[in-house]
Amino acid sequence: MNTTVVFSISLLASACSHYWQKRSALHFARYPDHSLWRKMVCQPLMLAIFFLLLSAIAWLYVLRDWSVSVAYPMLSLNLIIMLLISRFSFGEPVSLHHWSGCALIGLGILLVAVSAT
């Protein structure tokens, strides 16, 4: 499979894991009296762990083919994805500074990607 596709899988799975981690935290806050066992086996946490595992496995394949100096900066795309998720899925406020920072991150990723080709 193409490494760019595997990288995309790793990136999206990582974002899904972060999304479900936030959902897990909200679930724990909603049900503070649940036992530790019940919290450990709740659906949001199970999904967070599943996507984290999928992301890690895909990431190992990426590292096999890409240099670390390219691969790790590309992970910064996750920051942009999570900003969008925090705003549109969780309704969290996002300031102009956040958007500006993400634009700069995007520019940095573009520079790394262009230099790698």
Side-chain angles (χ1 to χ4, degrees), residues 4-113:
T4 303
V5 172
V6 177
F7 171 78
S8 299
I9 291 168
S10 177
L11 186 68
L12 293 175
S14 176
C16 287
S17 177
H18 293 301
Y19 170 85
W20 285 108
Q21 287 173 45
K22 175 69 173 185
R23 285 282 178 215
S24 296
L26 296 172
H27 180 82
F28 293 171
R30 187 176 305 129
Y31 302 104
D33 296 334
H34 279 181
S35 67
L36 178 60
W37 174 253
R38 195 159 178 192
K39 288 177 181 177
M40 287 175 44
V41 297
C42 73
Q43 182 184 16
L45 186 57
M46 291 292 103
L47 286 167
I49 292 168
F50 167 77
F51 283 113
L52 184 61
L53 180 62
L54 176 62
S55 175
I57 291 169
W59 183 244
L60 293 176
Y61 282 94
V62 171
L63 288 177
R64 179 187 64 182
D65 296 335
W66 287 4
S67 69
V68 172
S69 64
V70 172
Y72 275 96
M74 296 297 284
L75 274 183
S76 299
L77 282 168
N78 213 338
L79 298 169
I80 298 169
I81 293 169
M82 292 315 301
L83 180 85
L84 294 169
I85 288 174
S86 71
R87 173 67 183 101
F88 297 109
S89 290
F90 298 111
E92 296 176 0
V94 178
S95 72
L96 180 58
H97 287 108
H98 283 94
W99 292 116
S100 299
C102 279
L104 290 172
I105 289 168
L107 179 61
I109 293 166
L110 182 63
L111 290 173
V112 169

